[in-house]
PDB file of all heavy atoms in Angstrom:
ATOM      1  N   ILE R 144    -108.734  95.031 -28.139  1.00  0.00           N
ATOM      2  CA  ILE R 144    -107.715  95.911 -28.703  1.00  0.00           C
ATOM      3  C   ILE R 144    -107.592  95.533 -30.176  1.00  0.00           C
ATOM      4  O   ILE R 144    -107.308  94.380 -30.507  1.00  0.00           O
ATOM      5  CB  ILE R 144    -106.361  95.743 -27.993  1.00  0.00           C
ATOM      6  CG1 ILE R 144    -106.496  96.205 -26.543  1.00  0.00           C
ATOM      7  CG2 ILE R 144    -105.285  96.548 -28.702  1.00  0.00           C
ATOM      8  CD1 ILE R 144    -105.262  95.954 -25.711  1.00  0.00           C
ATOM      9  N   ILE R 145    -107.873  96.499 -31.042  1.00  0.00           N
ATOM     10  CA  ILE R 145    -107.910  96.225 -32.472  1.00  0.00           C
ATOM     11  C   ILE R 145    -106.730  96.900 -33.145  1.00  0.00           C
ATOM     12  O   ILE R 145    -106.385  98.030 -32.824  1.00  0.00           O
ATOM     13  CB  ILE R 145    -109.255  96.723 -33.052  1.00  0.00           C
ATOM     14  CG1 ILE R 145    -110.375  95.811 -32.556  1.00  0.00           C
ATOM     15  CG2 ILE R 145    -109.230  96.760 -34.575  1.00  0.00           C
ATOM     16  CD1 ILE R 145    -111.734  96.146 -33.074  1.00  0.00           C
ATOM     17  N   THR R 146    -106.098  96.188 -34.056  1.00  0.00           N
ATOM     18  CA  THR R 146    -105.035  96.781 -34.871  1.00  0.00           C
ATOM     19  C   THR R 146    -105.601  97.019 -36.256  1.00  0.00           C
ATOM     20  O   THR R 146    -106.229  96.126 -36.824  1.00  0.00           O
ATOM     21  CB  THR R 146    -103.838  95.814 -34.988  1.00  0.00           C
ATOM     22  OG1 THR R 146    -103.442  95.429 -33.672  1.00  0.00           O
ATOM     23  CG2 THR R 146    -102.675  96.473 -35.698  1.00  0.00           C
ATOM     24  N   CYS R 147    -105.442  98.224 -36.771  1.00  0.00           N
ATOM     25  CA  CYS R 147    -105.920  98.457 -38.130  1.00  0.00           C
ATOM     26  C   CYS R 147    -105.039  99.450 -38.860  1.00  0.00           C
ATOM     27  O   CYS R 147    -104.165 100.106 -38.273  1.00  0.00           O
ATOM     28  CB  CYS R 147    -107.379  98.888 -38.149  1.00  0.00           C
ATOM     29  SG  CYS R 147    -107.826 100.106 -36.969  1.00  0.00           S
ATOM     30  N   THR R 148    -105.263  99.537 -40.149  1.00  0.00           N
ATOM     31  CA  THR R 148    -104.497 100.452 -40.976  1.00  0.00           C
ATOM     32  C   THR R 148    -105.420 101.054 -42.026  1.00  0.00           C
ATOM     33  O   THR R 148    -106.534 100.593 -42.210  1.00  0.00           O
ATOM     34  CB  THR R 148    -103.291  99.741 -41.630  1.00  0.00           C
ATOM     35  OG1 THR R 148    -102.455 100.721 -42.226  1.00  0.00           O
ATOM     36  CG2 THR R 148    -103.734  98.752 -42.691  1.00  0.00           C
ATOM     37  N   ALA R 149    -104.947 102.101 -42.664  1.00  0.00           N
ATOM     38  CA  ALA R 149    -105.738 102.763 -43.703  1.00  0.00           C
ATOM     39  C   ALA R 149    -104.951 102.745 -44.996  1.00  0.00           C
ATOM     40  O   ALA R 149    -103.717 102.701 -44.987  1.00  0.00           O
ATOM     41  CB  ALA R 149    -106.046 104.197 -43.300  1.00  0.00           C
ATOM     42  N   ASP R 150    -105.688 102.752 -46.079  1.00  0.00           N
ATOM     43  CA  ASP R 150    -105.192 102.905 -47.423  1.00  0.00           C
ATOM     44  C   ASP R 150    -104.003 103.865 -47.465  1.00  0.00           C
ATOM     45  O   ASP R 150    -104.099 104.988 -47.001  1.00  0.00           O
ATOM     46  CB  ASP R 150    -106.347 103.569 -48.201  1.00  0.00           C
ATOM     47  CG  ASP R 150    -106.238 103.304 -49.663  1.00  0.00           C
ATOM     48  OD1 ASP R 150    -105.113 103.008 -50.084  1.00  0.00           O
ATOM     49  OD2 ASP R 150    -107.250 103.382 -50.355  1.00  0.00           O
ATOM     50  N   ARG R 151    -102.857 103.413 -48.000  1.00  0.00           N
ATOM     51  CA  ARG R 151    -101.724 104.335 -47.982  1.00  0.00           C
ATOM     52  C   ARG R 151    -101.587 105.148 -49.275  1.00  0.00           C
ATOM     53  O   ARG R 151    -100.638 105.901 -49.444  1.00  0.00           O
ATOM     54  CB  ARG R 151    -100.446 103.597 -47.666  1.00  0.00           C
ATOM     55  CG  ARG R 151    -100.095 102.561 -48.706  1.00  0.00           C
ATOM     56  CD  ARG R 151     -98.634 102.305 -48.632  1.00  0.00           C
ATOM     57  NE  ARG R 151     -98.354 100.957 -48.212  1.00  0.00           N
ATOM     58  CZ  ARG R 151     -97.140 100.450 -48.239  1.00  0.00           C
ATOM     59  NH1 ARG R 151     -96.138 101.187 -48.584  1.00  0.00           N
ATOM     60  NH2 ARG R 151     -96.930  99.213 -47.891  1.00  0.00           N
ATOM     61  N   GLU R 152    -102.516 104.965 -50.198  1.00  0.00           N
ATOM     62  CA  GLU R 152    -102.481 105.790 -51.417  1.00  0.00           C
ATOM     63  C   GLU R 152    -102.936 107.219 -51.112  1.00  0.00           C
ATOM     64  O   GLU R 152    -102.832 108.114 -51.922  1.00  0.00           O
ATOM     65  CB  GLU R 152    -103.380 105.198 -52.510  1.00  0.00           C
ATOM     66  CG  GLU R 152    -102.702 104.139 -53.377  1.00  0.00           C
ATOM     67  CD  GLU R 152    -102.530 102.831 -52.625  1.00  0.00           C
ATOM     68  OE1 GLU R 152    -103.556 102.286 -52.196  1.00  0.00           O
ATOM     69  OE2 GLU R 152    -101.372 102.403 -52.415  1.00  0.00           O
ATOM     70  N   VAL R 153    -103.540 107.380 -49.925  1.00  0.00           N
ATOM     71  CA  VAL R 153    -104.033 108.690 -49.526  1.00  0.00           C
ATOM     72  C   VAL R 153    -103.420 109.006 -48.162  1.00  0.00           C
ATOM     73  O   VAL R 153    -103.167 108.094 -47.372  1.00  0.00           O
ATOM     74  CB  VAL R 153    -105.583 108.659 -49.425  1.00  0.00           C
ATOM     75  CG1 VAL R 153    -106.130 110.006 -49.016  1.00  0.00           C
ATOM     76  CG2 VAL R 153    -106.193 108.224 -50.751  1.00  0.00           C
TER      77      VAL R 153
END
Side-chain angles (χ1 to χ4, degrees):
Chain R
I144 295 174
I145 289 182
T146 307
C147 45
T148 190
D150 203 338
R151 63 157 115 171
E152 274 74 59
V153 180

